[in-house]
Amino acid sequence: MTMAASAPEPTPGMELKTPATGGLSTNSVPTATMSTQRLRNEDYADYSSTDVSPDESPSEGLNNFSSSGSYQRFGESSSTTWFQTLIHLLKGNIGTGLLGLPLAVKNAGILMGPLSLLVIGIVAVHCMGILVKCAHHFCHRLNKPFVDYGETVMYGLESNPISWLRNHAHWGRHTVDFFLIVTQLGFCCVYFVFLADNFKQVIEAANGTTNNCHNNETVILMPTMDSRLYMLTFLPFLVLLVFVRNLRVLSIFSLLANITMLVSLFMIYQFIVQGIPDPSRLPLVAPWKTYPLFFGTAIFAFEGIGMVLPLENKMKDPRKFPVILYVGMGIVTTLYISLGCLGYLQFGADIQGSITLNLPNCWLYQSVKLLYSIGIFFTYAIQFFVPAEIIIPFFVSRVPEHWELAVDLLVRTMLVCLTCILAILIPRLDLVISLVGSVSSSALALIIPPLLEITTYYSEGLSPLAIAKDALISILGFVGFVVGTYEALYELIQPSPAPSFFNSTSAFA
């Protein structure tokens, strides 16, 4: 779908709602695509945005926006309070990436790991702030109530002094769309591997699972299927899950996922703080060869930048959002550093790609693995929603109306199968996380926002110090992108070590 460099103002009845995390531009919708309206008539707090209320004309909406001097929310009944926004922000940043951070700390060192997590967290939050600031700038400048990530990048390219970039500004949106698709489908691949690894371990250790969580006796594995066969087992169930297109129904599953994951995290913390071994045996700084793997895992965990603008847009009082952003991400960073350090201190060199794989072989902690897996299972549909909203309308708009439902379900099935195939090809959870983080998350979270600030404010007199700061962040992000991707791919081609027996506090020795 070709996109004009400058999108026209929306017309009542002719605008489709797009996910604020980068859906294709639909400001002007041809008649042939009007049948896709039903695909986007649902509302979801994390990913959707509203440009113009159905009950207001564009001029009325813009007048309200101009008079307020800030974002004007349409449909106030769906606006969120500061506390709800904080909960959504925390929910969007806590997932499988968190459980992989102990291994990330191992790849950096017990001193270098937490320090690097703190620095990456500060830089990532700063880049989120840059995105919000640039979005505000274009909303005021273009008299629009809301712009998403892709639109912000497109308008930023249109305002820079280089004519070639101005003429190809629409590629900025396409680039953001591409990385959003790669990132979200990458999350889905990680979920396949996570589910397979945890269920495989629970089933194989079932013969030795006891009620005594402090017994350190060796457990003999009961060989079952290969982990890739477990992925194929989950495939039809996940396909059926993504067939649920009503996001209000999915929100029920999301609530269930949040509860199970919260209980699981509480139990994980409760275990890893007990009887921590002497940390002097752990290296302060790990070999630099493994540091790129740390970077990929860390930036994967911090990649919540796609949800920042839609959350800000949904607030009743968006002026409070900067405070919520810094408080929420401060909590997230503290959680990341604490779990990463405590998990590595507890399990040392035996730490696995997910800390759940290191939990004791008793029914209490086996249930923790199952609970977190249930949460991840239902979260798959939420993560899948973003690429589906970008990709599916492209195909549905090109078929007759009576074929729309069949094409919709077919594309959904193919996308889920694609994530399953990629997970089968890369069955190591730590490398999947690192690869996704290095390839796409670094672009969205570190590389694009600083460059966006330069293109947005350069003609308005951006200070040399700010330009140097933005250039440094983008360069470091690009170096992490290249080196992290190379190291993850290099590790992938190495022969995998054969798993051996494990005891009650270690998954695979």
Side-chain angles (χ1 to χ4, degrees):
M1 297 175 67
T2 305
M3 186 179 309
S6 178
E9 289 299 317
T11 303
M14 291 289 288
E15 176 149 332
L16 302 185
K17 290 169 62 176
T18 59
T21 47
L24 291 174
S25 176
T26 53
N27 284 343
S28 181
V29 184
T31 304
T33 66
M34 290 302 295
S35 58
T36 64
Q37 177 73 37
R38 62 177 183 78
L39 295 176
R40 303 195 174 201
N41 62 1
E42 299 290 349
D43 193 18
Y44 183 60
D46 282 354
Y47 298 111
S48 63
S49 65
T50 305
D51 287 339
V52 177
S53 168
D55 298 325
E56 285 184 306
S57 68
S59 60
E60 289 171 339
L62 294 176
N63 288 337
N64 289 335
F65 169 70
S66 299
S67 62
S68 66
S70 181
Y71 281 106
Q72 174 65 37
R73 297 312 188 251
F74 302 104
E76 291 297 329
S77 61
S78 64
S79 297
T80 56
T81 64
W82 68 268
F83 183 74
Q84 290 171 327
T85 303
L86 177 62
I87 295 300
H88 285 311
L89 184 65
L90 294 176
K91 180 182 70 174
N93 283 276
I94 297 175
T96 53
L98 169 65
L99 302 181
L101 288 177
L103 180 60
V105 172
K106 173 189 174 183
N107 287 329
I110 194 59
L111 176 62
M112 181 64 72
L115 290 178
S116 299
L117 279 174
L118 179 61
V119 172
I120 291 177
I122 292 173
V123 174
V125 176
H126 175 68
C127 290
M128 293 178 184
I130 289 176
L131 179 60
V132 172
K133 182 179 70 172
C134 293
H136 285 180
H137 175 82
F138 289 117
C139 282
H140 287 287
R141 182 173 168 183
L142 301 174
N143 214 22
K144 292 174 67 70
F146 177 76
V147 292
D148 61 27
Y149 196 163
E151 288 175 330
T152 304
V153 172
M154 182 176 69
Y155 293 141
L157 292 176
E158 287 179 353
S159 64
N160 82 89
I162 303 176
S163 60
W164 188 89
L165 290 177
R166 291 198 303 271
N167 294 333
H168 296 82
H170 58 283
W171 285 105
R173 171 185 275 280
H174 294 326
T175 300
V176 172
D177 285 343
F178 170 77
F179 282 119
L180 280 170
I181 292 172
V182 172
T183 299
Q184 298 301 128
L185 292 183
F187 288 162
C188 294
C189 293
V190 170
Y191 290 174
F192 261 108
V193 181
F194 180 88
L195 290 170
D197 284 354
N198 281 271
F199 269 84
K200 175 181 170 67
Q201 188 187 101
V202 170
I203 294 173
E204 289 191 345
N207 67 317
T209 302
T210 67
N211 293 323
N212 183 1
C213 295
H214 302 285
N215 187 6
N216 201 39
E217 294 180 0
T218 299
V219 174
I220 299 177
L221 292 173
M222 180 178 63
T224 58
M225 301 183 296
D226 185 278
S227 62
R228 289 166 287 194
L229 295 179
Y230 280 94
M231 298 179 198
L232 291 176
T233 302
F234 282 109
L235 177 60
F237 298 101
L238 288 171
V239 169
L240 292 176
L241 181 64
V242 301
F243 280 178
V244 181
R245 296 174 295 153
N246 188 321
L247 291 176
R248 290 182 177 85
V249 175
L250 288 179
S251 66
I252 301 174
F253 295 142
S254 179
L255 176 61
L256 176 62
N258 292 337
I259 294 174
T260 58
M261 292 166 72
L262 180 62
V263 173
S264 300
L265 281 177
F266 177 80
M267 296 303 300
I268 291 171
Y269 267 99
Q270 179 269 337
F271 176 79
I272 61 178
V273 297
Q274 301 179 34
I276 296 178
D278 181 10
S280 61
R281 59 189 175 87
L282 302 177
L284 296 179
V285 180
W288 287 103
K289 180 178 177 59
T290 61
Y291 191 82
L293 297 177
F294 161 84
F295 173 84
T297 304
I299 200 62
F300 177 94
F302 275 108
E303 206 287 305
I305 194 169
M307 71 185 314
V308 168
L309 290 181
L311 286 181
E312 194 267 356
N313 182 53
K314 283 293 180 181
M315 285 192 67
K316 291 180 180 178
D317 186 1
R319 292 171 298 180
K320 296 180 180 178
F321 184 76
V323 175
I324 294 173
L325 176 63
Y326 293 124
V327 170
M329 292 308 298
I331 295 173
V332 169
T333 303
T334 302
L335 182 66
Y336 285 179
I337 294 175
S338 62
L339 185 66
C341 292
L342 291 173
Y344 181 41
L345 287 172
Q346 179 65 244
F347 300 113
D350 292 330
I351 190 66
Q352 300 298 307
S354 169
I355 193 173
T356 55
L357 300 176
N358 287 91
L359 294 177
N361 186 52
C362 63
W363 287 114
L364 175 63
Y365 292 106
Q366 296 291 66
S367 66
V368 169
K369 300 172 190 177
L370 295 177
L371 277 175
Y372 210 97
S373 297
I374 291 171
I376 291 299
F377 177 85
F378 289 121
T379 305
Y380 184 100
I382 306 300
Q383 299 288 7
F384 183 86
F385 171 71
V386 177
E389 281 291 279
I390 297 174
I391 297 172
I392 291 177
F394 177 84
F395 293 98
V396 171
S397 63
R398 284 161 171 74
V399 298
E401 186 171 355
H402 62 278
W403 283 103
E404 287 180 359
L405 179 60
V407 171
D408 183 326
L409 299 181
L410 176 62
V411 174
R412 289 175 183 271
T413 302
M414 292 178 64
L415 288 176
V416 177
C417 291
L418 174 63
T419 60
C420 182
I421 292 172
L422 293 176
I424 289 174
L425 294 177
I426 315 174
R428 284 183 56 185
L429 180 62
D430 57 329
L431 294 184
V432 177
I433 292 176
S434 183
L435 185 61
V436 174
S438 298
V439 171
S440 56
S441 298
S442 58
L444 291 174
L446 297 182
I447 299 175
I448 296 178
L451 296 178
L452 173 63
E453 184 176 41
I454 293 176
T455 59
T456 300
Y457 294 102
Y458 181 81
S459 60
E460 301 181 14
L462 190 64
S463 69
L465 182 61
I467 295 176
K469 177 263 298 180
D470 289 337
L472 179 61
I473 293 175
S474 287
I475 291 172
L476 291 178
F478 183 75
V479 171
F481 163 80
V482 173
V483 179
T485 302
Y486 170 80
E487 192 62 33
L489 291 175
Y490 176 80
E491 290 292 326
L492 283 174
I493 64 176
Q494 302 302 310
S496 301
S500 59
F501 300 120
F502 69 98
N503 59 37
S504 62
T505 58
S506 178
F508 295 111

